[in-house]
Amino acid sequence: MKNARTKFGAPEQGSVRRGRGKWQENSVPDDSGKGIKISPGWSFTLCLLIVLVVAGFASIYAATGVNSPWYNYVKSTITPPGYVFSIIWTALYFLLALSMYLSLISTQGNHRKIVAFLFALNLFFNGIWSFLFFGLQNSRVAFFDLVLLFLSTIAIMILMVRTNKNISWLLLPYALWLIFA
């Protein structure tokens, strides 16, 4: 294994300490054990990009739907103003991307595949909710989607509590907002 220390004994950029005294390049192992070399910054950026694409898709319908007469008729009296939604969803999407990143680097093999599937399912339900609610103006189907979205969030939290409890805590505000929504 190549020693990744500089001449001053500090690790080179992109290196992490693994085991006793050995420095290795950061890598995200694949199932074959060979490893795909991806820097942690790019891995998080990719997770954030995926979440932002879903958010962008959802916002297409939400932006036009909140001004419709139908929405003004069906919205709850406790619905916060629009700018509150923007602030909260920005924070929630960041936490979702961070928890996805931490979940994927904290798991391996079949466990990672299950986690990735649950996050994909969660993002799918998240993305289509705005289409169902604002686009189709179908609050019943949107509510069913919301239940599935909440259950997929809880499934991720339960699955990750064994690996890294902090990931479950990162998803708690998201789960609570889904209950409120």
Side-chain angles (χ1 to χ4, degrees), residues 65-82:
V66 294
N67 297 323
S68 71
W70 174 82
Y71 177 69
N72 289 325
Y73 177 73
V74 298
K75 78 177 178 179
S76 170
T77 56
I78 61 169
T79 301

Side-chain angles (χ1 to χ4, degrees), residues 89-179:
W89 274 111
T90 300
L92 292 177
Y93 280 132
F94 178 79
L95 291 174
L96 185 60
L98 182 59
S99 63
M100 181 168 53
Y101 165 72
L102 292 173
S103 297
L104 293 174
I105 66 167
S106 299
T107 56
Q108 294 180 1
N110 287 335
H111 194 217
R112 179 182 292 153
K113 288 178 183 177
I114 293 168
V115 167
F117 173 76
L118 286 173
F119 270 103
L121 197 63
N122 186 280
L123 289 170
F124 173 76
F125 292 138
N126 186 308
I128 66 166
W129 183 88
S130 290
F131 169 72
L132 297 171
F133 189 76
F134 294 112
L136 298 180
Q137 297 180 350
N138 192 332
S139 55
R140 288 183 184 169
V141 176
F143 178 75
F144 181 69
D145 176 76
L146 185 63
V147 169
L148 295 175
L149 176 59
F150 178 74
L151 291 175
S152 66
T153 303
I154 297 302
I156 295 168
M157 291 173 71
I158 291 170
L159 189 63
M160 292 312 299
V161 78
R162 295 183 214 138
T163 306
N164 185 341
K165 289 181 184 179
N166 292 332
I167 296 168
S168 294
W169 285 111
L170 286 173
L171 288 171
L172 185 62
Y174 181 56
L176 293 174
W177 182 254
L178 294 175
I179 291 170

